[in-house]
Amino acid sequence: MRMLLAWCLLVLAALPAHSAESNMVLINGTVVAPDRVIANGWVAVENSKITAVSATKPVIAGARELITKDIIFPGFIDLHNHPFYAVFPRWTPPRVFANRYQWRGLAEYNTTIQTPEGKLVEKNFCDIDAYVELKALMGGTTSILGVFQPADAPRIEPCIAGLARNLDWASGFHGSPLGQERAVNVLGVKPFDQKLSEGAMAQFRTGNLDLAAVHLAEGQRNDPETKAEFAMFESLGLLGNKSAVIHGVALTEPEFGKMASAGTSFIWSPRSNVVLYGETADVAAALRQKVLVALAPDWSPTGSVNMLGEVGYARTVADHQFAGLISGKQLFEMATVIPARIAKIDDKVGSLKAGLYADLFLLRSDASDAYDALAKAKPQDITLTMVGGMPLYGSAAHLATLGLKEAEPVKVCGTDMAVNGPALGIGGLAGTAARLRKALAGEKATLAGLVECP
Ligand SMILES: [Zn+2]
């Protein structure tokens, strides 16, 4: 709602009274459409939706024109994140671990991250939400899962709506009130994690959902505790076409085969796996078994800061460990249309197609190979991120062309960029960051930067 209000106010402020139809934009650039890349193509946006994707300029009277040399991508769909931890700086673990239960029990981790996070969420929910969703948007993410599911939340804060779509809180796909979402994050299959995800599991058992993304087999491939989890996943009734396995580092080819037969998908998070366990999942086996594989960063303390970073990281891992297995286009799809299919929202987002929501981002780069450019992109290369037709982040020039008069400047790796300040809340980014710095200082912690520069 806050986002909607902010945008309405901005549109009203920016436009002459007679031109309500001017919330229409023609974006020109290299268009990464589902079936082809269109050099010098066009994406037409009318209000919240894409109305045309074409090689020739669509005719829409009164539309603004954003003429660029940039590459236009559909926004990333991030199905594995714990966004609220993104206010904390990167954590360098003291060693690699056999499994997730080892580091989650470390005093160092609990003192510096876990305990402060719990306290901050209680007191500073809206500021954390705004800051971490901006971080996601700056990396091209337009939909994200994992804040925590409404059924397990003490309350739903209305400020969750706006900025990136929260697929477990406020996607914008199911109208109001909030909390009608059809995707949940399950923290694990052991009793302790089942307790933390009671509401999500209850919703799963009712069948009234499209996706339960379940943490599973997160540890080293030969760790007995990690290997034992697939059987627990099966015994909980989670193997089926409404679930996806997150991590799955210890999964074997026959287990991926069972997932393929059941219609269970897979969400790969290589950076966090390599940092914590020294190895990642056998994606080659998953792909051989024809499991749908999506890519997502897990969280910023040990994974990539955002989806753009994880695409770059996955490119490197694929080239070294699975040479020739994953093409640039495939990697792009693992971050966009495949997670949209897994969450059963591919009729709404995940591609640049007429009829879908205008969730997209622009990348300033060599457009001769759009997929290669995506894997090599740096944070400052993203020149616009838009959700439902609303510009939220980008270059000041692009935001001005789109009629955003209250763009707030921000430096990104030495480059001048801007954010839609009013969409973040009171005081925009500066106000949000100041309140968070103060709150974090009270927990002897510092606020993480918005991006990590190469
Ligand atoms: Zn996770």
Side-chain angles (χ1 to χ4, degrees):
M1 289 309 111
R2 180 185 63 208
M3 173 175 80
L4 194 63
L5 182 65
W7 177 232
C8 290
L9 291 173
L10 285 166
V11 168
L12 289 173
L15 301 176
H18 64 273
S19 60
E21 73 273 21
S22 284
N23 196 12
M24 300 184 296
V25 188
L26 293 172
I27 308 175
N28 165 244
T30 298
V31 181
V32 181
D35 51 345
R36 63 196 169 129
V37 175
I38 311 168
N40 196 23
W42 296 86
V43 175
V45 175
E46 296 185 61
N47 299 314
S48 63
K49 298 276 183 77
I50 296 169
T51 51
V53 174
S54 59
T56 52
K57 185 176 173 180
V59 178
I60 300 178
R64 295 173 188 277
E65 293 184 11
L66 181 61
I67 310 295
T68 80
K69 294 194 183 322
D70 302 347
I71 311 171
I72 311 168
F73 290 97
F76 292 127
I77 314 290
D78 179 353
L79 294 184
H80 178 209
N81 213 308
H82 306 276
F84 277 25
Y85 290 88
V87 293
F88 293 94
R90 183 163 290 285
W91 179 49
T92 305
R95 60 184 174 93
V96 294
F97 305 95
N99 57 55
R100 67 200 310 241
Y101 308 107
Q102 293 185 343
W103 62 263
R104 284 164 89 199
L106 274 189
E108 174 196 320
Y109 165 70
N110 280 290
T111 313
T112 57
I113 299 180
Q114 184 62 64
T115 305
E117 196 264 353
K119 289 187 189 167
L120 286 166
V121 169
E122 279 296 309
K123 291 187 208 147
N124 304 84
F125 187 99
C126 294
D127 285 332
I128 301 179
D129 182 61
Y131 192 80
V132 302
E133 288 190 20
L134 174 62
K135 288 184 71 163
L137 292 164
M138 290 171 76
T141 301
T142 51
S143 290
I144 196 163
L145 180 73
V147 165
F148 44 76
Q149 51 280 6
D152 291 317
R155 63 188 181 279
I156 300 173
E157 297 280 5
C159 65
I160 194 78
L163 300 173
R165 298 182 191 278
N166 289 90
L167 297 178
D168 44 0
W169 281 75
S171 64
F173 301 148
H174 306 290
S176 55
L178 301 180
Q180 307 300 305
E181 304 304 326
R182 299 186 57 83
V184 296
N185 173 43
V186 176
L187 287 169
V189 291
K190 293 217 177 197
F192 171 76
D193 285 322
Q194 286 292 296
K195 186 123 191 68
L196 290 173
S197 299
E198 252 170 5
M201 283 302 291
Q203 191 178 344
F204 177 79
R205 282 189 291 268
T206 65
N208 185 30
L209 90 178
D210 296 323
L211 174 67
V214 185
H215 289 69
L216 192 80
E218 187 192 355
Q220 293 180 339
R221 291 188 188 184
N222 64 0
D223 173 55
E225 203 172 349
T226 306
K227 282 161 71 170
E229 289 193 358
F230 191 78
M232 299 162 85
F233 180 75
E234 285 183 286
S235 70
L236 285 164
L238 285 162
L239 186 68
N241 63 6
K242 290 184 169 181
S243 64
V245 166
I246 293 171
H247 291 302
V249 182
L251 295 191
T252 60
E253 185 135 5
E255 290 165 340
F256 282 121
K258 279 188 179 181
M259 286 169 58
S261 302
T264 305
S265 305
F266 182 62
I267 302 165
W268 184 37
S269 299
R271 180 165 181 178
S272 188
N273 292 160
V274 170
V275 168
L276 290 167
Y277 314 110
E279 57 190 357
T280 189
D282 189 353
V283 174
L287 292 172
R288 272 195 302 273
Q289 292 297 325
K290 309 227 177 315
V291 173
L292 270 186
V293 177
L295 180 77
D298 188 357
W299 67 339
S300 63
T302 61
S304 299
V305 165
N306 54 41
M307 285 290 284
L308 187 73
E310 195 70 2
V311 169
Y313 190 87
R315 180 73 272 157
T316 307
V317 171
D319 289 345
H320 284 91
Q321 286 183 37
F322 311 109
L325 185 76
I326 302 175
S327 70
K329 181 170 193 255
Q330 211 174 350
L331 194 56
F332 154 73
E333 289 178 345
M334 287 163 72
T336 53
V337 71
I338 292 175
R341 267 182 221 144
I342 291 173
K344 296 161 186 83
I345 52 173
D346 53 317
D347 59 336
K348 299 180 179 70
V349 290
S351 309
L352 295 180
K353 251 191 333 199
L356 271 58
Y357 284 95
D359 290 13
L360 54 84
F361 70 91
L362 269 59
L363 192 72
R364 183 163 299 161
S365 185
D366 173 9
S368 62
D369 184 336
Y371 303 119
D372 188 52
L374 186 66
K376 290 179 179 158
K378 298 184 290 294
Q380 64 271 36
D381 297 338
I382 290 192
T383 56
L384 176 71
T385 306
M386 172 183 276
V387 177
M390 182 195 302
L392 292 166
Y393 166 77
S395 70
H398 282 3
L399 295 182
T401 302
L402 295 174
L404 192 71
K405 289 198 172 162
E406 294 183 58
E408 181 180 350
V410 60
K411 273 266 195 251
V412 177
C413 305
T415 302
D416 289 320
M417 304 297 288
V419 303
N420 182 337
L424 267 85
I426 299 161
L429 173 60
T432 303
R435 289 188 294 273
L436 284 174
R437 271 191 207 98
K438 194 171 168 206
L440 280 152
E443 301 298 329
K444 298 189 174 52
T446 53
L447 179 64
L450 289 163
V451 295
E452 278 181 343
C453 300

